[in-house]
Structure formats: structure tokens, C-alpha cells
Amino acid sequence: MIGTASRRLPAQTGELVDRSRPLTFRWDGRDYEGLQGDTIVSALLAGGVDVFSRSFKYSRPRGVLSATFVDPGCTVQVDAEPNVRAAHRRLAAGMDVRPQNVWPSLRFDVKAANGLVGRFLTAGFYYKTFIKPQRLWPAYQQVLSRFASGGVTSRQNVHGYYDKRYVHVDVVVAGAGPAGLAAAVAAADAGCSVLLVEEEYELGGHLRYSGEASLSMLSELRAQVAARPSIEVMTDSVVTGRYDDNWVAVMQRDVGGAIERLVKVRAGVLVAAPGLIERPYVFAGNDLPGVMLSTAVRRLINLYAVKPGERAVVLTANADGDAAAADLTRVGVDVVRVLDGRAGETIRRATGRGRLQAVELEDGTVLPADLLVTATGWTAPTSLINMAGDRPVWNPTAARFVPSGDGLPPTVLATGGLVGDGSTEELIAHGRAVGALAGDRAEGRAGGSVPELAGEPHPAMFRASTHGFVDFSEDVSSKDVVAAAKEGYDSSELVKRFTTATMGPSQGKLETINTIAVLSEATGRGIEDLGTTVWRPPYAPISLGALAGRVFEPTRVSPMQSWHEEHGAVPLLAGQWIRPDHYGAAAEEARNVRENVGIIDVTPLGKLALSGPDVPKLLNLVYVNKWSKLAVGSVRYGVMCAEDGVVMDDGVTGRLDEHRYLMSTTSSGAATVWEWLENWLQTAHTDWQVHVTPVTTAYASINVAGPKSRQLMQRVVEGVDLSTEAFGYMKVRQGRIAGVDDCVMWRIGFTGELSYEMHVPASYGLHVWEALLEAGDDLGIQAFGVEAQRILRLEKGHLIVAQDTDGLTRAHSAGLGGMVKLDKDDFAGKPELAWHERDALATAPRLVALQPEDPSAVPPEASQIITADGGILGRITSSRMSPTLGHGICLAQVDPAVAAPGTVVTIRLPSGSDITATVREDLAFVDPEGVRLRA
Amino acid sequence: MIRIPCPHCSARNSAEFRHVGEAAPRPDPSTATPEQWRVYLYERSNPAGWTTETWFHTMGCRRFISVERHTVTNEIRSARPVGSTGPGPAEALSARGDAGSPDAGGQA
Amino acid sequence: MWTRKGCVCVPETWTPVARSAITVPGPRSVVDGWEVSTRRSSAALRLSDASPLAKVSVRADPDGALAHALGVRFRSSHRRDGILVVGSGPGEWLLVGGVGAAHQIAEQVRGLAAGDFVTAIDVTHGRALMRLTGRDASRALSKVCAVDLSDAVTPEGAAFRTSVAKLTTDVVRDDAGAGTGEPSYLLHCERSSGQYLFECLLDAGMEFGVEPSGPTVDGGGA
């Protein structure tokens, strides 16, 4: 009768399950039935299942321990999602739930054999065993991956939709137990906007499962929250971290159609109200299914109406343990013995095959039982205040770490169980006072005082006379901690790293105190001296998908992009720009430019509109060459060097009228140059009258190149005399192109051909582009892409900054030394360039053109130029097969020793073979005299 | 993420800014010795404590601002429009996002 | 209308068609020289392309005559004679007006300069402009923008430049311009990234049922 709700209790006050809504789901290949409101684990327990996983190292069967998110034995696979916390996750109809980390099955696990050799898998086992020899590491990895826990992800999974949101609030309250709820209400009443974050699906914390009086207080608090619209509530959400300036990360699950949403909150004040986590007790057999914490028992009974066992032994050292015993008795569980920790009573061990069968007491009495409940103390999750600067201190009275109160900025406060103990009324009063103080601080007021919340006396109970697990996720026993201490790992941080205790999925929330307590026992040093380990973000696991979020990568396209796509352009990603690399045949596109006419979309070229009377001063400062005499209607090529003399950018700048200039930069350098100009103007020459306006995409830029380009221009340009005499090389004109006003055109020649670069108001880019193609149809016009342009410029010997230069290339080493005018008063990099010219010219590398002797050879870019004995003399910076000349052409940075024209150099190819090439007279392979571009 | 109290735009996430670095005044280029010039280019005090540094509000007002920040606590004491310095050394190169991008400017 | 120039037939007069950087689905037609989508949405949250509107970038002394005449400081905006004047930076303004009005606006600005050093540049074609309107506009925008969008910090008329979906974007809270009584934001960015920003905002608005809409080219400016 597997799958029936055999352990379901009659209706409990405050239960979350809806008995009118049964849900069917699968577990480990079989059908089960649960209720709406169940967690996966409560539904399975109700259906008679006790074991949900196998442990990490020894493959021991594990069941429910805490019945919370961090329950180490309750991690499962749900459909395609691995590592689901089944004691937290709400059951949904049709879920396919499977155990993970079992092989071949949950019931028969081959790895359980490790239990037999368990004594060999002691602390430091991995470090000691798998260190040497190094060549076996791949084999070790295969073995270890078998042991690693974790579910299965499919490579076919589509990337889920994850979300992100920014929130600005006055107060964030982390945790919605009684103190957190009261704090949120008080902060709202102080006039603040509040974000209340709760890890569970409902507000209330322990009030939800602590009897009718608590429930009535809870319903009042919930009503107060609901009545305040300035409180935003996020449930099933966790504050995972607190960072500088109260930047608070909240992970919100299953919301707004997204799997997870990372909420980035800028909070005025953060109130940490995480409550307390119940601490397990260390004894032999403490991981057997059937051994549970008192809060787990109370959750199962009161929230999910599940009977956790039939015959129970209860070890209690506090009121919650007493309440658990009372709950058990109330629902008909046979409580065979209650041991009082406050009176020094304890147990020795738990025994059973596969699950708990008996409890052995200190006097040797053996009590048959299927449920052992422990209530031996608490851990304060000091994580958030730790991240905010607090270093928690040991409170021996309450037997737990508490906030020190020092080191916190005024914008971080704590309340509730984290701070101390009290009745529900006292917790609420404390929360209210802290909330009011948070409100005051968020509003910049001093704020009032907060009542004391002291830690109640609690016996310091950590371990029985036997050894058991301190870390259930990592299978670390108290014996391992003792062994580590004996080997000299005698501090909390060292033991953690050596044994891996607290490093598993629950990240120390259940394990830290017991680890330190056992270490204290082994070393004789007090817990207060050992101190706790530092909690770091994230407090709860976050999927990588949530951290990555949706992909925001701005892309940029020109106004002609739709045409490029329709005409088969192969895209090239250049920075953020998507550009046509070619339209199918780059060499043919290049040849057509040499023979007829081609057009290329050069919109990404950086363009800056410069205006003002002091523009010439600015140009003289940022370019190495001279600009004072640039006439209206002319353009000039300029080179920029940084203050260290290294070539930074190049381009042409044209003077459109008296005080108006258009500067072009490389496309990759556009943003840098703009910032650089602003830097000079804002920091060094604040008195200059210059305005810099970026207009890169205000214009669509089209380069028309080829011997027939003037013919083409004559058909589309109005109002400009295009004759050589009227519009010569390096001149700029403004006019109308294809009916579009306000166009700028200049004659330059990056390709080495007669060429016009036109800058057209961008919205008309596609219109002008199509008009050019139409008008040039009989001239053999073809669009060409970036690759053809690169071939053409290389044939012409024109360098590309940052391709033919690098981070050390001074102007002279780029063949640009002649442009550097040291007789100017000042310009960027002048001192370095002066010293370079004086001291380093003879030894600095040079840019040369190389022609491989084998005409079919094209040495790949970055191939090295070597000496006879393999020393390096330089490298190829650009290389292509020239469609015009029919042989390979290269630019190279070389040692001056081999820079003289006619020198034959050896180039080592990546394949390892060598070829030879000759240094040419001129950088230009085609038309070195410049006849074509001046036509 | 720390917030920079931009004197023009109000406090913004530091991701909107470019950290230019510790302010280094530009020597007179006509008289500077190589040693002085290279101090300007490369030498920074990099203290564990208070420092005066320049930030550029790339995604906001596009102004250079001068910020007094404690490098250990990230506390910010003041933020004001930048005084008279200079653009500094490898300014441009450090900001260059995608060197080798295949487009050069026009050529003579 | 075709004539022989050289040896090929080309139109004697060209009819230039302007196109926005943003593609809005739906039937298209040419209005005021702009090819636009005629799709209109009445969804609770709408994202419309407003790129055809005239945009003029102005630079001047933040304390000079022009600043005084414009009457708008950085981080605020106001509407006057159908022109939205946005204080978009220290000593920097963006003026948004009706389709085709850029030259006229620039001339007006130069007229107000009273001899000060002033630059007015038509950036109509250099910027993509869009408007997000609806009750949930700020909630949608807060998914891609880290600036506090509450009325206390960025009320009606507020203008700021920040990162929106990792893109430098100018934002103006301009409920009045939408004229529907709902919260409304004008966003503008470099033209080349207009489509990217438009798609990011559609994605952010998905959970609020956002729909795209063709240009709102109403006579009243932005």
C-alpha cells in the first residue's frame, strides 16, 4: 500500500495542508499522493518514506533532521532541477522527484560499501591520498566524481528565465518571525518604506507551530503587516548578503514567471532578524533516519499533520523540547522516555539497520524506538551581521555565539533570537523598538533605546559519551575533528579546511558550533577562545542562473544593418558593433574596388563634433602633428599618442567652418578619445572654449572607393563641384546627397583609391546607401565589407592602430616619426617622444612591409621573425593574400637590424616550418606614389 | 557595491564610473626631467587609508570628479569636481575596450 | 521624373525616407518623411518609438545667459511652447520638439545665447528616443535601472543619465508628455543601440503585459 497517507494525522490547528486538494507526484519511480501545502518531504513522510538520500562519503541512508531548507538529508532532484531542498520546496502536482547521489538505487547503494572501510576515510583523507603521483590525478578525479553529491543537469536544458530587479527602501527586515514582523510594522509606522524578506513560504517563523496562543499573536501581526501598504513582503526569499553601503542581495524564488530573481536592494537600514537554528546533538547513530530535532517534530505535526513516529524517546534541555514531547503525546505517539538535559540526563547512542530501532541510555538501558527527538541548544545565524562587520562572541550562559554589538555600522541592526531570548511578547517588544530605531536612522534621526534581550541560561550540550556526526552534509564525525586536532589543526579555521566540516551545502548552519565544541574538548581551549568561523555571502545557495541573470550586452548596429542582413553579410563582432565582414567573397569585393567602385558601411568610425574658438589649441594638444593652419574646407590626418608616447589613435579631422570641426577616430577608440578630450578640457585647460559632442551614430558613414567613384558621386551629389580642382584630395565639403541635406563628405584614401567618405544624417543612411547602389549599377558598384577593406589598406601599406602597433609602440616605431612636431609648445606625450627621438631611435622596433619569397605564402599574423639560432627579431602584424598582386603581403614590427630595404628575413610559422621574406622599400605595395587616390 | 556621491548627479553605484586612479599632477612638459615625468606616469602611493583619487562618471554626467576615499573601509569623505591635474599616463590604453578592432580612421 | 545623368537613369528629385533605429512590428507607412509602424497599443503598459521627434543637443555655460533663458538646470526638465527642455548634464541640455523642427530650435537657441559661447547640434538622427507609459512603468524600468524611481527621488520632470540594461541612457520622468495621467518615462540613447534598449524594455515589461507601439508623432512635441 505504498503511497497512501498512512501517517497523516487528523486536522491540526494552524496546519498548512489543504485536505480538499490532493496532489499526485512520483518519488523514485513510484506514484505518491500528498496534499496542497505539503513540502515534498512532508508528503513523503506521510506516505511512509523515511529515507531521502544517501550521505556524501559513506553513503549512509538519511532522512529528516531539521525539516527546514538546510536539512542535509533532504536534497533531491525534481524533474530537470537538481539539488532541490525537499524539506522546504512546496509539493506540486506531477512532480517527478528522484533521489540523487545514489548508485544504482536508493535502496541498494553500492557506495554503502564505503561504510565498511569508513575508518580509512578519516579527516584529511582526500588531501593525503590523492596528492601523489600527479599523473594519476585524472584517474582520481573520475573516482571522486562518483562520490560527489549533486544531481543531474541535462545538456538539452534551455537556459531558464532568470530575473533581476532593483529596489530602494528605507528599511529591509531579514526574517519574518515575531521580532521581524514587529520591526517591519514599527519601521512602517515611523514613515519608512519597508521590505520584509522571509525564507519560508509564510510569515511567522516559530509562531506558526507553537500552539494556539502563538497563532493568535501571529494572525494579529500578519494583519498589521497587511494593513501597511508601505511594507513589501517577499516570501520564499532570502537575504543572501550584505555589502558596502547597505547593498543587500535578496534571492526571490519562483516569481513573475522567472525561476529565481536576484533583487538588488539599496537599504537605508538593514534589520537582521533570522531567529535561531536548532543544533543537532553528537552521538553514535545521530544520523539514523528517525533521529530528529524538536523543531522538526513540531513542524511536521503542526504544519503538515504528519506523525513522525510511533514510539519516541525525547532528550530535552529547553522549553521547545518539552513542547515537542507534549505535541507527540497529544497526537498519540508513545513517548517512552523523556530525558532532561537540564538535570544532566542524556543518551549514549542510537542503533538500527537503515533506520532508528533503539536508543541506548547512559546506564545501558536499551529502549526500542522509531523516533528520537533532541532539543540540546541553538545556533544564532550571525551571517548578515558578520558580513556587516560584527565578530560574534561566545555567550557561555546561553551556550551560543551572539552578536558582539561592536563593529556594526549604524545602518545595520539585529533583533529577535539572534540577539537573545525572551517570551513572544518580549521578542515582539524588542522587534518593535528596533524597527522604530531603524525608521529613525533611515530618516536621519537619532532614535530611541532598545530593551535588553538577554540570553537565557541553557546547558552546554554538544556531544554524548560516544562519537557521532558533526557535519551531516560532509560526513565528518567528531572523531575526525579530534584526529585533526591531534595532527595540529587546532584552530576553527584550520579544522574547517582540513576536515571539510561546515563546508557542505548547509554551510555550517547546523555544524559550526558542534565542530568548535568538539575541538574545544580535544584541545582543552575554551570555545570563547577558539571563536567561530567567518560567515561569508551567500547565506543561502543561489543558482548561477540567478547571478548571471538575463544577458545584457549592448550591441550596436548601423542604419544599414537590415540591408547587410538581406544581402548575405557575414557578421563580424567588433567591440559592441555588428558589422559585415564580407558578402561572400572578400577578395572579389576588393578587386572590384580597384577596378570599378565599391561602397562600405563605416558608420562605427568614431565621430566627434568639435566647436569653439579654441579647437585648434585642442587639436595641437592631442595630435602629435600641427593643426594651426588647417583651412576651412580641408581635412588632415592626425596621430594621437598617450602621455607615455605610445600611439593611441589616429584619424582625420576636417574643418567645416570657422569654429566647427568634425573629428574622426578609430571605431574601437571612439569612446576613449572622447573621454580623453574631456579629460584635457576638464582638468588641464578649463579656460578653453571648446565643446565636444559625440556624433558617431548621428551620421551614417559610407566610404565610396574606386576609380569610378567620382562618376558615381556626380549622380547623387547636389550643390558641390566634384572636379579635382574644386574638391581635391584631403578636402571636405558639405552638401546634399540623394536628396538628403546636411551631409558631410571628404576625400581621403584608406583603400588607396580615389575615395569619398560621406557622413549622412543617420536616419537617411539606408536611403542613401540604396540610392548609391541604384545609381552605380552600370558602373559595376558592389558593397564591400571589413575584410576587403583590410586587404585594400594592407596593399596600400596603411597601418591599423592596435593591430600594427601595440601597447609599447611609440609613434616612430609605427613609421609616423615624421609627423611628430617637437617644435610645438606642448602636446600629449611630447617629453617621452622627444627623449625617444634623442636616445632610442637606433634600437626601437620599426614597422616594415615584407614580401614572402614564395608568392603563395601568407604567414599568419603573429608569426615570428627569427634569427638563425631561433632568437626573436619581430613579428608579423598584418598579412593577407593580395588579390591585386597575386602574392602574400605583410606588415611587421622588426628589430632595426633587419629593417633595411632588401633584407631577407626568416619567418617561423605556427606549424614550426620557416619561410623567407624580403623587406620592401615602401610600406605600400600598391601605388606607393599615391597617384590613384589623388586622381 | 559602493556608491560614489557624484557632486553633479547624486550618489550612484560605482559601476557607472571609471576609476581613473590616484590624482597625479602633470609636470611642466618643457622642463620636466625623465624622472619627474615617469613619477607622473607610473608612481602612485597606493595607501591603506585615505587617498584622493579621480573618478570619471562614464554613464552619468561625464565629468571628472575628485574623491577622498578610505581604501580599507571604502568610506568617502568628499567628492567634488576635479581640480587641475592632467589626464595621466596610460589613461587611454587602460580604457581601450577592444584593441585590434578592425577599423582604422581615414589615412593621408 | 527620371533624367539622364552620365549614362544611367536616376531620379531627378530624390524622395528621402527617414527610418528610426527601432523596428516596431506592424504595418508601415510614411508620415512626415519617416517610415513608421502604424501599430498602436492600448495595453496597460506601452513602449512607443518616439525617434522621429526633433532633438537638439545644447552646450553652454551652466551659469550663463542661455542657461538663464532656458530656465532649466541639470536633473530637471520642463515643457515650453511645445518644446521639452531637458537639463541633461552640467552645462548641457537636450531640446525635444516636433518632427522636422531641429533647425528652427537650434536657431532659437543661438538667438538666446546673447553672445555667450554656445553650441547647438541637431542630434535627431544620432539618438533613439522611446517612451514607456503605464501604471507599472517604474516597476518595469526598475528591473533594468538602479536609480531610485520613487516620486520622492525622481518626481515628474526629473531628468538623469544612468545605466539602463548596461547602456548609458538618458531618462526623463515625463508623465505630462504622455497626457494620460499615468507614469511615463522618455528614454534616449545612442541611435545604434536603440533597438537593443527597446528590446530590453520590452523584456523587462513582459510581466506587466507591455506592448510595443509605433511613433507617437503628436503635434505637442515630446
Side-chain angles (χ1 to χ4, degrees), chain A residues 29 41 79 171 177 183 240 288 341 410 422 433 497 578 596 753 767 819 826 856 914:
Chain A
V41 154
D79 302 318
V171 177
T240 63
L288 284 172
R497 283 160 181 79
I578 299 167
N596 296 307
E753 291 299 320
H767 162 77
M819 296 184 68
D826 183 18
S856 69
D914 295 343

Side-chain angles (χ1 to χ4, degrees), chain A residues 429-690:
Chain A
H430 191 271
R432 199 175 284 140
V434 167
L437 178 59
D440 284 333
R441 289 198 177 159
E443 301 290 329
R445 298 185 295 260
S449 64
V450 171
E452 193 78 359
L453 203 58
E456 275 175 14
H458 195 289
M461 292 181 72
F462 308 106
R463 187 173 76 85
S465 57
T466 51
H467 280 291
F469 285 96
V470 293
D471 188 323
F472 300 85
S473 323
E474 294 281 297
D475 268 0
V476 178
S477 78
S478 50
K479 212 188 278 180
D480 294 328
V481 175
V482 172
K486 279 190 185 145
E487 291 197 40
Y489 297 95
D490 57 357
S491 81
S492 318
E493 297 286 355
L494 287 177
V495 160
K496 165 181 162 183
R497 283 160 181 79
F498 187 64
T499 63
T500 72
T502 76
M503 289 168 78
S506 44
Q507 286 285 292
K509 295 178 187 72
L510 299 171
E511 310 87 352
T512 296
I513 308 299
N514 286 337
T515 306
I516 297 168
V518 172
L519 179 64
S520 162
E521 209 185 314
T523 58
R525 292 168 62 200
I527 296 178
E528 62 279 9
D529 290 341
L530 290 166
T532 183
T533 50
V534 177
W535 302 58
R536 293 192 176 82
Y539 174 72
I542 309 180
S543 65
L544 291 175
L547 289 177
R550 301 196 300 288
V551 178
F552 293 120
E553 265 180 44
T555 51
R556 306 178 69 180
V557 293
S558 98
M560 287 82 88
Q561 178 64 16
S562 60
W563 189 94
H564 302 321
E565 285 171 16
E566 283 161 19
H567 291 79
V570 174
L572 172 76
L573 210 61
Q576 294 179 334
W577 284 96
I578 299 167
R579 309 193 56 185
D581 193 20
H582 57 82
Y583 303 87
E588 171 49 34
E589 291 163 21
R591 199 176 296 119
N592 190 60
V593 171
R594 294 266 180 255
E595 287 167 9
N596 296 307
V597 60
I599 56 173
I600 179 172
D601 179 354
V602 291
T603 300
L605 271 181
K607 293 175 282 289
L608 297 167
L610 309 178
S611 59
D614 294 320
V615 172
K617 289 184 190 168
L618 179 68
L619 297 176
N620 269 328
L621 182 68
V622 298
Y623 285 123
V624 298
N625 48 330
K626 286 189 180 174
W627 290 82
S628 308
K629 290 181 182 157
L630 184 70
V632 171
S634 287
V635 299
R636 188 169 289 174
Y637 172 69
V639 172
M640 294 174 180
C641 289
E643 288 277 66
D644 55 4
V646 170
V647 178
M648 187 183 119
D649 207 80
D650 67 349
V652 302
T653 292
R655 188 171 188 180
L656 305 180
D657 59 35
E658 182 64 17
H659 291 324
R660 218 156 55 84
Y661 295 73
L662 184 62
M663 170 185 278
S664 70
T665 72
T666 64
S667 51
S668 59
T672 307
V673 171
W674 179 26
E675 180 185 329
W676 199 56
L677 299 189
E678 284 293 345
N679 199 341
W680 283 110
L681 293 170
Q682 289 180 33
T683 68
H685 296 283
T686 49
D687 57 325
W688 287 0
Q689 291 200 325
V690 180

Side-chain angles (χ1 to χ4, degrees), chain A residues 161 163-166 168 256 261 550 552-557 559 577 609 611-613 678 689-693 696-698 714-716 718 738-740 742 761-764 766-767 770-771 774-775 778, chain C residues 2 5-8 10-11 14-19 33-34 57 59-60 103 117-119 121-126 142-149 165-167 190-193 196 200 203-204 206-207:
Chain A
Y161 188 85
D163 199 17
K164 189 168 77 174
R165 184 188 150 197
Y166 296 94
H168 299 260
R261 173 188 274 171
R550 301 196 300 288
F552 293 120
E553 265 180 44
T555 51
R556 306 178 69 180
V557 293
W577 284 96
S611 59
E678 284 293 345
Q689 291 200 325
V690 180
H691 288 145
V692 182
T693 310
T696 297
T697 53
Q714 278 164 342
R715 296 175 184 181
V716 294
E718 293 170 70
V740 177
D742 302 325
S763 304
Y764 299 101
L766 183 58
H767 162 77
E770 288 180 329
E774 190 187 341
D778 65 318
Chain C
W2 291 68
K5 279 192 182 180
C7 60
V8 70
V10 292
W14 304 85
T15 336
V17 177
R19 294 174 177 93
W34 287 75
S57 159
R59 298 281 302 276
H103 280 278
F117 170 48
V118 162
T119 298
I121 292 182
D122 177 6
V123 292
T124 301
H125 308 285
S142 74
K143 290 174 66 173
V144 285
C145 173
V147 167
D148 190 345
L149 300 171
K166 293 212 168 92
L167 181 74
E190 255 221 319
R191 179 196 164 97
S192 58
S193 295
Y196 164 82
C200 282
D203 179 69
M206 203 163 58
E207 68 178 280

Side-chain angles (χ1 to χ4, degrees), chain A residues 169-173 246 267-271 410-413 437-439 441-442:
Chain A
V169 283
D170 297 323
V171 177
V172 171
V173 179
N246 263 8
V269 175
L270 169 65
V271 176
T411 51
V412 178
L413 299 168
L437 178 59
R441 289 198 177 159

